[in-house]
């Protein structure tokens, strides 16, 4: 009987594949795999097909087995899946909030190595550092994306049009059909791109409100 | 006999001369506004504004305003300005001169005005609601006034950026130490600003001005009683904002 229990626990741990670990956490962060939700601490081992959720003033930095890093800001929710096949792309889904992504280029993969999906679009990445955020409303229909390094392709879900965004540029994904042409977005210049706590603070203090806030700053008379 | 006729004639002409300003119908005048904005820091912006308007008959109002705005909060800006103005008309410019009542010619009279303002803006979707309070002190006649200006601007957006502004404002001038009216002038400003580029934004506008002339100093000194006359004007104008 004891042998059966041990065998079952061994099977359950090996079927939940480890895909990375948490390298920094601040505040309340949870990780959900299936129906099991756990509080996250540093060195937490991440299993495939898990979802992270950060609460107010919380932050988590994740290091994945494919070399990528993700910094999930407060009040955000992100699902992660890393395939066994190293030539297939890592997939993430951002459900709310905002996140920074750092993806190491894989010379073996000609297509996108990392995919981020939002409600409006799919972002394909080969080797880069970029930021994605939903708009200012809780259930916003729009989102923003800007690139710090590398190249990101943006494809709205209901459109065949693909937009390539270079370093220093960003786009406003208005809905499932529309994305603005890439251009420099002044409000993204102060984003905190850090992923290593030893090199400085990791908190991002730029609010998505500032993407819209230029309007109030402008004088007309 | 001749003397009686002469006296009667004099009496009738003085009555007919009009010892109070005429009300008249609202005129349509032209107006030009040029503005230059320079942002020194995210919080400090300078403004240079030149105004020119054609008023009744030969009178022209022109002014140059210089100053700064400071953003104390995301929604709040404070401003301080100096304005040099010509062609302004005040109650006391209704004078007895050369045996008749007339308006002073003020086209070449310069006046120095100190302005302080506070503005609050709130964004709701594509609408900006703003309330602005302005204090003015005119060093020429030591007149103090408060201006209250609520208004709304609708932003027509293109790719997330403002493309056209449609604005509508109302402004009331409240005299603090002059005039016999609690509101001595009211304005309506309506217009459109086109965001041609980040640097150049031209516009067109319509203004309506309604004011009150109350008893001038000369009139009071002659013990002729009091008067209150309304005056109104329409303005059609063009503006140009430069951001550099």
């Amino acid at each position: 009987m004891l042998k059966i229990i041990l065998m079952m626990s061994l099977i359950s741990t090996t079927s939940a594949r480890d895909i990375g670990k948490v390298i920094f956490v601040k505040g309340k962060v949870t990780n959900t795999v299936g129906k099991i939700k756990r509080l996250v601490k540093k060195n937490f081992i991440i299993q495939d097909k898990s979802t992270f959720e950060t609460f107010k003033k919380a932050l988590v930095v994740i290091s994945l087995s494919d070399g990528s890093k993700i910094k999930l800001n407060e009040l955000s929710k992100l699902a992660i899946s890393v395939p066994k096949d190293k030539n297939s792309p890592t997939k993430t889904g951002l459900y709310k909030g905002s996140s920074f992504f750092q993806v190491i280029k894989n010379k073996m993969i000609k297509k996108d190595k990392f995919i981020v999906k939002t409600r409006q679009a799919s972002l394909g990445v080969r080797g880069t550092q970029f930021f994605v955020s939903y708009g200012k409303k809780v259930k916003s229909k729009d989102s923003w994306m800007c690139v710090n390094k590398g190249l990101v392709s943006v494809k709205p879900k209901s459109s065949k049009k693909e937009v390539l965004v270079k370093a220093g540029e960003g786009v406003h994904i208005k809905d499932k059909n529309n994305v603005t042409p890439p251009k420099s977005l002044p409000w993204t210049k102060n984003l905190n791109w850090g992923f290593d706590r030893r090199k400085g603070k990791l908190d991002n203090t730029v609010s998505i409100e500032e993407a819209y806030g230029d309007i109030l700053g402008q004088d007309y008379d | 006999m001749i003397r009686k006729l002469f006296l009667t004639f004099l009496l009738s002409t003085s009555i007919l001369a009009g010892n109070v300003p005429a009300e008249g119908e609202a005129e349509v005048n032209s107006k030009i506004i040029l503005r230059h904005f320079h942002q020194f820091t995210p919080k400090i912006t300078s403004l240079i504004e030149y105004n020119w308007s054609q008023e009744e008959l030969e009178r022209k109002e022109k002014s140059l305003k210089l100053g700064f705005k400071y953003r104390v909060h995301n929604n709040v800006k404070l401003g301080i300005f100096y304005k040099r103005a010509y062609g302004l008309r005040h109650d006391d410019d209704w004078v007895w001169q050369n045996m008749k009542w007339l308006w002073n010619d003020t086209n070449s009279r310069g006046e120095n005005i100190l302005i302080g303002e506070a503005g609050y803006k709130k964004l709701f979707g594509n609408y900006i609601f703003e309330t602005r309070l302005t204090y003015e002190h005119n060093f020429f006649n030591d007149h103090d006034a408060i201006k209250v200006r609520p208004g709304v601007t609708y932003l027509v957006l293109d790719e997330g950026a403002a493309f056209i502004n449609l604005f509508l404002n109302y402004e009331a001038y409240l005299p603090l130490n002059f005039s016999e009216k609690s509101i001595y002038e009211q304005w309506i400003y309506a217009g459109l600003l086109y965001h041609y580029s980040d640097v150049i934004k031209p516009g067109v506008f319509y203004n309506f001005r309604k004011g009150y002339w109350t008893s001038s100093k000369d009139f009071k000194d002659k013990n002729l009683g009091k008067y209150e006359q309304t005056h109104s004007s329409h303005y059609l104008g063009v503006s140009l904002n430069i951001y550099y």
Side-chain angles (χ1 to χ4, degrees):
Chain A
M1 183 63 179
L2 186 60
K3 281 185 182 176
I4 295 168
I5 294 168
L6 282 170
M7 186 74 76
M8 283 178 69
S9 62
L10 186 63
I11 291 167
S12 63
T13 49
T14 52
S15 64
R17 187 167 50 88
D18 296 342
I19 59 167
K21 70 174 182 179
V22 170
I23 59 175
F24 177 85
V25 65
K26 186 184 93 165
K28 183 182 175 187
V29 180
T30 61
N31 174 272
T32 305
V33 178
K35 293 182 182 179
I36 302 171
K37 183 183 280 191
R38 285 175 284 191
L39 269 177
V40 168
K41 293 186 180 179
K42 191 177 174 184
N43 297 320
F44 178 92
I45 302 300
I46 305 165
Q47 293 177 354
D48 190 27
K49 295 189 175 66
S50 62
T51 301
F52 281 88
E53 185 168 7
T54 55
F55 292 81
K56 196 170 171 64
K57 294 185 182 179
L59 183 80
V60 65
V61 180
I62 298 159
S63 177
L64 298 178
S65 53
D66 66 356
S68 305
K69 286 183 181 171
I70 301 172
K71 182 169 74 174
L72 194 63
N73 296 315
E74 65 167 346
L75 301 171
S76 303
K77 193 171 182 180
L78 181 83
I80 308 171
S81 175
V82 178
K84 288 181 190 176
D85 178 6
K86 289 183 181 177
N87 293 326
S88 293
T90 297
K91 291 181 183 175
T92 63
L94 185 67
Y95 294 108
K96 65 174 183 176
S98 62
S99 184
F100 291 85
F101 299 86
Q102 181 171 284
V103 178
I104 306 299
K105 195 168 182 177
N106 184 331
K107 292 176 185 174
M108 301 300 292
I109 299 178
K110 302 268 165 110
K111 293 185 216 174
D112 299 327
K113 184 202 167 182
F114 198 102
I115 293 174
V116 178
K117 289 194 174 183
T118 65
R119 281 195 294 275
Q120 299 88 14
S122 179
L123 314 174
V125 180
R126 294 178 198 186
T128 189
Q129 207 178 53
F130 63 102
F131 169 79
V132 182
S133 177
Y134 279 101
K136 58 183 178 178
K137 295 178 184 173
V138 174
K139 290 184 180 178
S140 53
K141 294 180 181 177
D142 63 329
S143 56
W144 298 81
M145 194 284 293
C146 68
V147 180
N148 192 39
K149 293 176 188 174
L151 192 68
V152 175
S153 80
V154 178
K155 186 178 168 306
K157 280 187 174 175
S158 299
S159 169
K160 293 180 183 177
K161 182 183 165 187
E162 187 183 55
V163 175
L164 290 175
V165 186
K166 298 182 293 189
E169 293 180 337
V171 291
H172 183 199
I173 306 161
K174 294 182 177 182
D175 52 41
K176 291 181 183 179
N177 292 298
N178 297 299
V179 59
T180 63
K183 65 176 182 179
S184 170
L185 301 175
W187 64 271
T188 64
K189 284 179 182 161
N190 295 322
L191 288 171
N192 184 338
W193 294 97
F195 285 84
D196 188 346
R197 182 65 183 90
R198 293 169 297 182
K199 294 181 181 176
K201 289 185 179 178
L202 299 176
D203 301 80
N204 174 49
T205 55
V206 173
S207 164
I208 191 60
E209 290 278 345
E210 294 184 36
Y212 308 89
D214 295 315
I215 291 170
L216 283 184
Q218 178 85 75
D219 288 302
Y220 302 112
D221 64 357
Chain B
M1 178 64 176
I2 293 171
R3 193 176 170 186
K4 277 186 183 175
L5 283 170
F6 182 67
L7 283 170
T8 308
F9 174 74
L10 274 180
L11 186 62
S12 58
T13 51
S14 66
I15 291 168
L16 291 170
N19 53 0
V20 300
E23 281 200 359
E25 290 184 3
E27 299 178 343
V28 182
N29 300 320
S30 51
K31 198 168 184 180
I32 296 172
I33 303 177
L34 305 172
R35 299 185 185 95
H36 173 264
F37 295 91
H38 178 74
Q39 188 163 29
F40 288 91
T41 72
K43 290 190 176 186
I44 299 175
T45 305
S46 67
L47 167 63
I48 302 173
E49 180 178 296
Y50 174 75
N51 263 268
W52 179 94
S53 63
Q54 173 70 56
E55 302 295 332
E56 61 284 330
L57 297 175
E58 298 300 315
R59 188 167 72 94
K60 295 174 182 55
E61 284 189 9
K62 27 184 197 180
S63 65
L64 183 67
K65 183 169 98 170
L66 317 163
F68 296 91
K69 293 195 186 205
Y70 178 72
R71 193 175 191 181
V72 296
H73 178 270
N74 199 44
N75 302 76
V76 179
K77 285 192 181 182
L78 303 177
I80 185 155
F81 304 95
Y82 160 77
K83 180 160 83 173
R84 178 75 175 173
Y86 293 84
L88 299 184
R89 178 173 282 175
H90 307 288
D91 283 337
D92 289 343
D93 286 318
W94 181 248
V95 296
W96 175 252
Q97 217 173 76
N98 300 326
M99 298 298 290
K100 59 182 175 180
W101 288 100
L102 48 78
W103 284 109
N104 254 337
D105 179 0
T106 60
N107 280 337
S108 54
R109 184 178 77 196
E111 299 177 32
N112 297 313
I113 301 167
L114 178 66
I115 300 167
E117 72 176 34
Y120 175 81
K121 286 185 185 179
K122 184 75 180 171
L123 183 66
F124 289 99
N126 286 31
Y127 291 90
I128 301 174
F129 291 90
E130 181 183 8
T131 300
R132 187 181 293 185
L133 280 178
T134 306
Y135 164 77
E136 285 194 2
H137 175 79
N138 189 327
F139 289 93
F140 166 72
N141 49 19
D142 285 327
H143 281 182
D144 296 315
I146 297 274
K147 298 181 183 179
V148 183
R149 197 188 87 170
V152 61
T153 299
Y154 176 74
L155 304 169
V156 178
L157 300 181
D158 180 39
E159 297 176 356
F163 175 63
I164 290 176
N165 290 12
L166 301 170
F167 59 89
L168 178 64
N169 299 306
Y170 165 81
E171 191 165 39
Y173 290 18
L174 313 176
L176 298 179
N177 59 357
F178 63 98
S179 182
E180 292 158 18
K181 298 288 289 182
S182 53
I183 299 176
Y184 87 93
E185 211 162 278
Q186 298 177 76
W187 284 78
I188 300 235
Y189 309 98
L192 173 159
L193 187 79
Y194 171 55
H195 296 255
Y196 175 74
S197 71
D198 286 345
V199 175
I200 298 173
K201 300 182 197 296
V204 293
F205 58 87
Y206 162 78
N207 293 166
F208 175 70
R209 176 187 198 176
K210 182 177 178 181
Y212 302 91
W213 300 124
T214 58
S215 313
S216 67
K217 185 178 179 302
D218 275 11
F219 194 87
K220 289 176 192 172
D221 288 346
K222 291 190 178 302
N223 295 314
L224 293 173
K226 286 185 179 183
Y227 64 79
E228 180 185 300
Q229 300 288 85
T230 58
H231 64 96
S232 53
S233 302
H234 303 278
Y235 299 86
L236 293 174
V238 293
S239 67
L240 181 64
N241 286 9
I242 306 277
Y243 299 83
Y244 180 73

